[in-house]
Amino acid sequence: NLYYILERERLLQSNAEYRPGEADGPLSPEIITGYEGMAVPELPSRYRHLTIAPDWWVPGKRKHTKRTHKKTHGLISFKEIARTTSDSWKVVDDETHKFVTELARLIAVRYKEIEHALGGP
C-alpha cells in the first residue's frame, strides 16, 4: 500500500493537468491517530520532488474525516494505476524497496504500541 500511494502520486503529479484535492492535504491537528511525532525515513530520491502531505503514510488516514463526494481526478483510471504500479514493483530499485519495507516495519511497531496502550493484546 505504501508503494502504491507513492506511485499513484508520482503518476498523477507527472500529468500537467493534475490539481491536488482537499483529501491530499494533512489531517486536521485536532484528529489524534497515535502516529503523531513518529520519525519516518526520508523519501527515496525517486519521490523527493512530489508535493505530498507529511502524514501521507498514516494508516486509515481518510477514515478519520468525511470525504466530500465529488468526481476523482479523471486523469488515469484505477486499473491503469494498479497495472503500472504492479509492473514497476517487480523491478523496484533497492532504495525504494528498503524505504517502504522500513516504513511498514515502523508503522507496525507503532501500531503494537498503540494497541498495548489501549489495553489490547
Side-chain angles (χ1 to χ4, degrees), residues 33-40 57 59 103-118:
T33 63
Y35 294 91
E36 296 77 18
M38 190 172 116
V40 297
W57 51 270
L103 183 53
R105 187 190 70 74
L106 292 170
I107 291 169
V109 167
R110 178 61 66 96
Y111 176 82
K112 289 186 186 302
E113 291 170 357
I114 293 168
E115 191 176 59
H116 180 72
L118 295 175

Side-chain angles (χ1 to χ4, degrees), residues 9-114:
E9 283 304 312
R10 188 183 66 77
L11 289 169
L12 291 175
Q13 290 184 27
S14 67
N15 188 312
E17 297 177 31
Y18 175 70
R19 300 291 174 262
E22 61 190 42
D24 297 318
L27 284 172
S28 170
E30 334 37 270
I31 298 174
I32 306 300
T33 63
Y35 294 91
E36 296 77 18
M38 190 172 116
V40 297
E42 183 180 26
L43 284 173
S45 55
R46 172 183 178 127
Y47 303 109
R48 287 191 193 130
H49 69 282
L50 295 178
T51 303
I52 193 164
D55 62 355
W56 66 269
W57 51 270
V58 172
K61 177 180 174 180
R62 291 296 152 213
K63 292 180 182 176
H64 297 286
T65 59
K66 183 164 176 64
R67 183 178 71 88
T68 57
H69 187 76
K70 58 183 173 182
K71 186 177 178 180
T72 60
H73 50 77
L75 300 174
I76 185 170
S77 70
F78 173 78
K79 182 178 179 180
E80 183 67 20
I81 294 172
R83 187 173 48 75
T84 304
T85 302
S86 172
D87 291 344
S88 68
W89 178 249
K90 294 173 186 172
V91 293
V92 70
D93 60 279
D94 286 341
E95 179 188 20
T96 302
H97 187 270
K98 287 177 184 173
F99 171 79
V100 295
T101 303
E102 178 61 11
L103 183 53
R105 187 190 70 74
L106 292 170
I107 291 169
V109 167
R110 178 61 66 96
Y111 176 82
K112 289 186 186 302
E113 291 170 357
I114 293 168

